[in-house]
Amino acid sequence: MMTAEHGKTADARKGRGAVSNASGRYERFTTESFDDGWVIAPQDWEPTDGLEPLRTSVTVETAKSIIAHNTSPDIPFDQSINPYRGCEHGCVYCYARPAHAYVGLSPGQDFESRLFVKPNAAELLARELSRPGYKPSPIMLGANTDPYQPIERDHRITREILEVLDACSHPVGITTKSANVLRDVDILARMASRNLVAVGVSITTLDPALARIIEPRAATPAKRLAAIRALSEAGVPVTLMAAPMIPHVNDMELEALLQAGADAGARLAAYILLRLPLEVRDLFAEWLTTHFPDRKERVLAQVRETRGGRDYDPTFGQRMTGRGVYAELLNKRFKIKTRQLGLNRAEPTEVHLDTSLFVPPVPPGGQMRLF
């Protein structure tokens, strides 16, 4: 339900990114909020703060395998691990939201409040890495959901995974927007000394007020910059991820984000243009209605211009950067600023992690190899 006077939806809740909880695309029946005519005047509107807080629930998921494989030609890894399903950070633009529909839940508020944890992840990982014929290639943590989201403090699945990878000298990449990554700086520094780890820290904006509505439960921009600095000082190579760039919302900050990342010690940088696959499209449009009703149509029109007239173009090689005049200008701005700052001039060893040190682990209950 939406009122034009307020530009807010009836399901909007403080501290959450999505402002609705529509059923997933595979459900037989769907539910949605609508205006039943009872809210007829501004004074009758119940403010967002008046809604009951949406509590986070965590369900144990006993995984059967833990390493996911992909053949996408436009991402620099072919293996990934997601310790959690769903993400409490609540980033409204998250391209992983549609995956919640596979378990019968909403990609909206369910995605950020009904989470799944995989407590047997480290055990499965050891078994999969010990299989005969396994050939090591960097594993990405955080390809879908953030491995350092708030529930990691209690469940420590990411740390257990890193302990397995460290013990067998297996390379790993991490993408996060959480300062909680610093908890594991001991392992990360040790792995970095062997060229086994690289960390990408995603920062969407330097404005804490904007960050609160884009990524309500993620670390503040200042804390993420502090994490970049601390990791860099510990010898861990860090990439500043200016992602996503949202037309007319945060794209004007691109140069400032790159500058702040370089000042904090990042050696590499990357950016991604806003992606709106499947349910993310409607969730993002609702978010604009709630927070930026005055520029909603302008933002969406610009997004379509970068996607060949569609809301989203999944074409490999274009889905991350888009096409057209706006996309080309954004790319030129990125290249000019990174060149000015000396970013992305890293030595090959900082870009390519070492796979030659890998020693297969002994799985729980397994037998050591003779040779």
Side-chain angles (χ1 to χ4, degrees):
M1 178 172 70
M2 185 213 17
T3 63
E5 294 87 353
H6 286 65
K8 291 195 175 183
T9 55
D11 290 342
R13 296 170 189 264
K14 185 176 181 180
R16 296 295 179 178
V19 295
S20 72
N21 204 40
S23 302
R25 61 191 178 281
Y26 299 119
E27 299 309 294
R28 182 178 179 184
F29 301 103
T30 62
T31 60
E32 61 181 42
S33 297
F34 70 98
D35 190 345
D36 59 8
W38 284 99
V39 179
I40 58 176
Q43 60 266 27
D44 295 328
W45 180 259
E46 182 181 8
T48 300
D49 292 347
L51 294 177
E52 181 181 348
L54 194 60
R55 300 186 182 281
T56 299
S57 67
V58 179
T59 300
V60 171
E61 176 180 330
T62 304
K64 296 181 179 180
S65 62
I66 199 62
I67 300 178
H69 300 270
N70 77 83
T71 56
S72 301
D74 57 353
I75 55 177
F77 58 88
D78 57 15
Q79 300 193 115
S80 62
I81 294 176
N82 291 293
Y84 305 102
R85 188 192 298 271
C87 185
E88 197 173 5
H89 283 160
C91 308
V92 68
Y93 53 75
C94 183
Y95 59 82
R97 283 182 177 273
H100 243 46
Y102 295 132
V103 290
L105 296 174
S106 172
Q109 291 173 349
D110 280 350
F111 176 80
E112 53 196 274
S113 64
R114 299 182 66 176
L115 312 179
F116 295 79
V117 59
K118 304 172 185 178
N120 62 335
E123 177 183 349
L124 287 174
L125 176 61
R127 291 188 182 280
E128 292 178 29
L129 296 182
S130 66
R131 288 174 179 168
Y134 173 80
K135 295 182 179 181
S137 66
I139 290 175
M140 175 59 68
L141 293 177
N144 269 355
T145 57
D146 200 309
Y148 285 102
Q149 60 178 288
I151 59 173
E152 167 64 15
R153 296 191 191 102
D154 296 325
H155 294 276
R156 301 172 68 85
I157 307 302
T158 298
R159 184 172 179 89
E160 292 176 1
I161 290 171
L162 288 177
E163 289 171 343
V164 171
L165 296 174
D166 179 32
C168 64
S169 296
H170 193 292
V172 61
I174 299 171
T175 300
T176 183
K177 56 185 56 181
S178 174
N180 292 336
V181 65
L182 293 180
R183 181 204 62 190
D184 295 336
V185 71
D186 57 329
I187 298 177
L188 298 177
R190 192 162 59 239
M191 296 185 75
S193 68
R194 291 171 284 159
N195 189 29
L196 292 174
V197 67
V199 177
V201 177
S202 174
I203 305 180
T204 311
T205 176
L206 298 176
D207 179 355
L210 179 57
R212 277 195 297 272
I213 60 174
I214 295 183
E215 309 154 336
R217 299 200 175 194
T220 64
K223 287 185 177 180
R224 283 180 250 178
L225 287 171
I228 291 177
R229 182 171 291 105
L231 289 169
S232 298
E233 291 174 351
V236 180
V238 183
T239 298
L240 181 281
M241 305 287 296
M245 287 288 98
I246 306 174
H248 312 303
V249 174
N250 72 330
D251 58 344
M252 66 289 294
E253 294 189 64
L254 177 59
E255 287 83 0
L257 287 167
L258 296 172
Q259 182 72 61
D263 291 345
R267 295 287 304 279
L268 303 172
Y271 80 95
I272 297 175
L273 185 62
L274 175 70
R275 299 164 57 188
L276 298 177
L278 300 170
E279 289 94 344
V280 180
R281 177 194 61 187
D282 293 335
L283 291 168
F284 183 72
E286 291 174 343
W287 180 85
L288 288 172
T289 298
T290 300
H291 298 288
F292 297 103
D294 58 328
R295 68 182 88 168
K296 174 184 176 181
E297 296 306 321
R298 185 185 180 199
V299 172
L300 294 178
Q302 189 70 80
V303 169
R304 295 187 189 105
E305 189 271 331
T306 67
R307 303 297 182 183
R310 295 184 288 173
D311 293 308
Y312 181 56
D313 179 4
T315 303
F316 290 137
Q318 292 185 349
R319 58 180 180 160
M320 305 294 187
T321 57
R323 53 179 167 153
V325 175
Y326 173 89
E328 291 174 3
L329 178 59
L330 192 66
N331 185 254
K332 288 180 180 178
R333 289 171 55 197
F334 175 80
K335 289 182 177 178
I336 290 172
K337 192 62 180 180
T338 52
R339 185 166 58 246
Q340 180 188 96
L341 295 172
L343 293 167
N344 295 343
R345 295 180 182 174
E347 297 294 326
T349 54
E350 296 182 67
V351 179
H352 301 290
L353 300 178
D354 193 349
T355 60
S356 66
L357 303 177
F358 173 67
V359 177
V362 178
Q367 183 175 357
M368 295 185 67
R369 300 183 181 187
L370 293 176
F371 303 100

